[in-house]
Each structure stands twice: as C-alpha cells, then as structure tokens.
Amino acid sequence: MMNAALDKHESPRIVLSAKGLSKTFGDFAAVKNVDLNVEHARVHALIGPNGAGKTTVFNLLTKFLQPSSGTIVFDGTDITNARPDKVARMGLVRSFQISAVFPHLTLLENVRVALQRPNKLATQFWRPLSSLNSLNQRAEELLALVGLTNETNTLAADLSYGRKRVLEIATTLALDPKVLLLDEPMAGMGGEDVEHVANLIREVAKTRAVLMVEHNLKVVADIGHNITVLQRGEILAEGNYAEVSADPRVRTAYMGTEED
C-alpha cells in the first residue's frame, strides 16, 4: 500500500528534454537558450506570437535542423547529433502544419502505408500486394480510434480539411510514437473538427507524451497540462494555463486580445 501511495505522487517521467537549445542563422538568433521538459502522458503546449521560434524549436527537436548549441535527450538517449529518420524510428514522430496524406489512396490504404515500416514491410518490394492485407486489422483499429470507421474506403482527397488532419494523426499513431509532436493541429479547422481533434489528442496523451504548437488558446486551456510561452526565441513563461495566462508579460506579448 505504501508503494502504491508513493507511485501516485511520483513526478511524471520526462521523455524528451532540451537544455540550452539555441539556433542561429548568420547573425540572427532564432532560438536562444531554451530548456524544455516534455513528460509522459501529458499534453505540453508551445505557444507564442508569430515569429516566436516555435516551429524552429520543433525542427530542432525532430532533427530537421541541427542546433547551434545545447543538447537534446530523448528517452534517455542523447540525440543532439542524430538524423531525423533515426529519431523517428526511436519513437519521436511529428506532423506538419500542412496535411500530408496520399489523396488518391483510401483511408485504409493511407494507414497501411504508415504501418509498413514498424511491421518491416516498407522495403520488401518483392512481396505481393496481398501481403499488406495482414495490416488491415490494425489499420481499421487506428481508424476507429480517431473516429473514421465509417470512411475506411473513402479516398483521402474526398475528406474535409479537418478530417484529413485526423487521418494524419492516425498515420502518425501507426508508428507507435513515444512522443507525438503536432504542429498547429487545429489550423484551418471548423468548430466541430476542433472539438473532435482536441478530444482525440486528450485520449492519445493518456498513453504517450504530446508536444504541440497551437494558436487556439481555448484548446490549449482545455487540454494542455504544461505550457511554454516563447517570445523572440526565448522562454517568456512556463506553467499551467492559469499561471501563464495571469503573467502580465504573457498577456502583453500574446494574450492581450484573447477573451479570459
């Protein structure tokens, strides 16, 4: 009983951390000395005004950019100098601002494509196409998880923009990420799709870490456990939403026009 009580109050496990992360382009410092800790089973939101350095931080963490200084540790391994394909295979998986799906494939086929790598079928081109049928059950489970069961055989091109973003989350989940990084997942969505994706992210974060860049502050307030506010490439404030939204520096820099 005592061990259970201790476990209950144990601090969340940090699965992705950056220390002193910086990136310069010539004389311009896009990111300056950023420290970031992303915890398992938490939604961590990275917010700030346009040009604050949010996407640059994402690109550094996922190794699409090499940091000028600082270190990045993922699941206990230093990945500061790792390649993006390596960290993706380790379980650090991201989406992008623009939906990336195969428009002329069905939803089932899109998810099957994503499932090929973790199932070691991605490079076995000599196998017949029918060999991919073994992935159907898992693909259908993932589509059910994100609420797309009734559109399994629909072409991705025929989905609304919001549903395409939902499909993209299903394809990233096919890679079984330990940390899921979402770059503006709500961008361009209507209210119904925003609510659906927010609920989906909340559900996903029960079993893995989620780090997201997001401008919709109502969503951040609703599902974000930890918030980091960036301004001009530096951390302006950190904490839960109530704490950062009450910070006068944050309100001046970013939230002054938002409804309380």
Side-chain angles (χ1 to χ4, degrees):
M1 294 296 292
M2 183 177 293
N3 287 338
L6 289 173
D7 290 343
K8 183 177 181 180
H9 297 289
E10 191 175 289
S11 297
R13 177 170 59 92
I14 295 171
V15 289
L16 176 65
S17 68
K19 302 295 181 186
L21 196 63
S22 299
K23 180 63 180 179
T24 58
F25 298 95
D27 294 330
F28 174 66
V31 174
K32 310 173 193 175
N33 199 36
V34 166
D35 292 345
L36 192 67
N37 289 320
V38 180
E39 299 168 342
H40 175 68
R42 296 285 190 276
V43 177
H44 193 130
L46 195 60
I47 68 173
N50 289 332
K54 304 181 298 296
T55 297
T56 302
V57 168
F58 250 44
N59 287 335
L60 291 169
L61 294 174
T62 53
K63 308 320 315 302
F64 285 84
L65 285 175
Q66 183 65 22
S68 301
S69 61
T71 58
I72 305 168
V73 175
F74 171 53
D75 202 25
T77 299
D78 189 323
I79 62 166
T80 307
N81 298 309
R83 299 188 312 272
D85 60 315
K86 178 180 178 180
V87 300
R89 287 195 298 272
M90 291 171 64
L92 187 63
V93 179
R94 71 173 290 181
S95 71
F96 294 84
Q97 291 181 16
I98 300 173
S99 180
V101 298
F102 296 103
H104 300 300
L105 296 181
T106 67
L107 275 61
L108 181 70
E109 290 166 339
N110 266 274
V111 179
R112 285 200 320 188
V113 168
L115 284 168
Q116 287 179 51
R117 179 164 294 281
N119 287 276
K120 303 187 185 326
L121 294 173
T123 57
Q124 298 184 17
F125 301 112
W126 62 88
R127 287 177 175 267
L129 189 61
S130 59
S131 66
L132 297 181
N133 290 337
S134 62
L135 305 177
N136 285 353
Q137 180 177 347
R138 179 56 180 156
E140 290 169 354
E141 290 171 354
L142 287 166
L143 289 170
L145 176 65
V146 301
L148 292 175
T149 298
N150 295 331
E151 296 163 291
T152 299
N153 296 313
T154 299
L155 292 179
D158 294 333
L159 294 179
S160 68
Y161 176 77
R163 293 295 178 178
K164 286 177 183 175
R165 299 308 302 264
V166 172
L167 173 60
E168 186 179 88
I169 292 175
T171 61
T172 57
L173 291 176
L175 300 175
D176 195 23
K178 296 175 182 176
V179 179
L180 180 60
L181 297 96
L182 302 173
D183 197 354
E184 298 192 29
M186 312 298 173
M189 287 189 185
E192 182 178 342
D193 283 332
V194 166
E195 182 178 359
H196 177 68
V197 173
N199 288 332
L200 174 57
I201 293 171
R202 184 187 290 110
E203 188 65 27
V204 166
K206 291 180 179 179
T207 56
R208 69 201 77 218
V210 175
L211 176 64
M212 67 176 187
V213 169
E214 184 51 56
H215 284 293
N216 188 323
L217 297 185
K218 291 182 179 179
V219 170
V220 171
D222 187 34
I223 68 174
H225 298 97
N226 304 314
I227 318 295
T228 297
V229 186
L230 290 179
Q231 184 183 33
R232 299 188 183 93
E234 298 180 279
I235 292 180
L236 183 64
E238 290 182 295
N240 59 39
Y241 187 82
E243 291 167 340
V244 300
S245 63
D247 190 316
R249 298 171 303 162
V250 174
R251 298 182 69 86
T252 298
Y254 186 48
M255 297 194 227
T257 60
E258 296 291 328
E259 293 294 328
D260 292 333

